[in-house]
Amino acid sequence: MTDDVQGLQKRLAAFAAARDWEQYHTPKNLAAALGVEAAELLEIFQWLTPEESARIMADPEAAHRVTDEVADVLAYLLQFCSAVGVDPLAALAAKIERNEKRFPAPERGRGAGAEPGPGSGPVVGPGPSSGPGPGEGP
């Protein structure tokens, strides 16, 4: 990574200030913009099969679109965090720690081919309709 989070937040703030956009960067507006940009990232994958989505970065045009949308999502997330006073890295570290306690890893005896159980999988998982809330489990 070329810049640290605080450095990127300062660059984003300076960019907005130079264009007199600060007045629009309220928590509500930034949260809405973040949602829109996340939806634009999702749109790229909307009708792809799981296999196609796994290979998307092999297509230079698609890879460019994905990279741009990731940048937009991250930019709005960092600006939102600045607006509400959240340290994004500290928030993520705390969330991972809470999830490690709430969803301990399965015991080693389960084996590689076993069905996933509570606590397996990524830190951020499916929404509330299918189990733990976002960022709370499998």
Side-chain angles (χ1 to χ4, degrees):
M1 294 193 173
T2 56
D3 287 305
D4 65 4
V5 171
Q6 289 180 339
L8 291 171
Q9 287 174 309
K10 288 177 184 175
R11 286 180 65 190
L12 289 164
F15 183 89
R19 290 152 182 82
D20 197 27
W21 292 350
E22 296 163 307
Q23 60 188 316
Y24 306 111
H25 287 192
T26 65
K28 179 198 78 73
N29 288 350
L30 292 167
L34 175 58
V36 169
E37 294 301 338
E40 289 179 9
L41 176 61
L42 177 59
E43 181 181 30
I44 297 168
F45 293 88
Q46 185 173 10
W47 302 114
L48 300 181
T49 65
E51 296 78 19
E52 289 169 333
S53 70
R55 294 188 309 265
I56 195 152
M57 298 307 281
D59 174 2
E61 184 179 325
H64 178 74
R65 290 178 58 214
V66 168
T67 301
D68 271 358
E69 294 307 333
V70 166
D72 289 343
V73 168
L74 183 57
Y76 279 118
L77 178 60
L78 293 178
Q79 289 174 92
F80 175 81
C81 288
S82 290
V84 298
V86 169
D87 176 337
L89 296 183
L92 178 57
K95 184 67 171 188
I96 293 169
E97 188 172 319
R98 284 193 307 275
N99 285 344
E100 288 171 339
K101 290 176 184 169
R102 286 184 66 196
F103 305 102
E107 294 183 27
R108 292 222 177 246
R110 289 182 56 99
E115 287 292 317
S120 64
V123 172
V124 177
S129 64
S130 59
E136 296 179 340

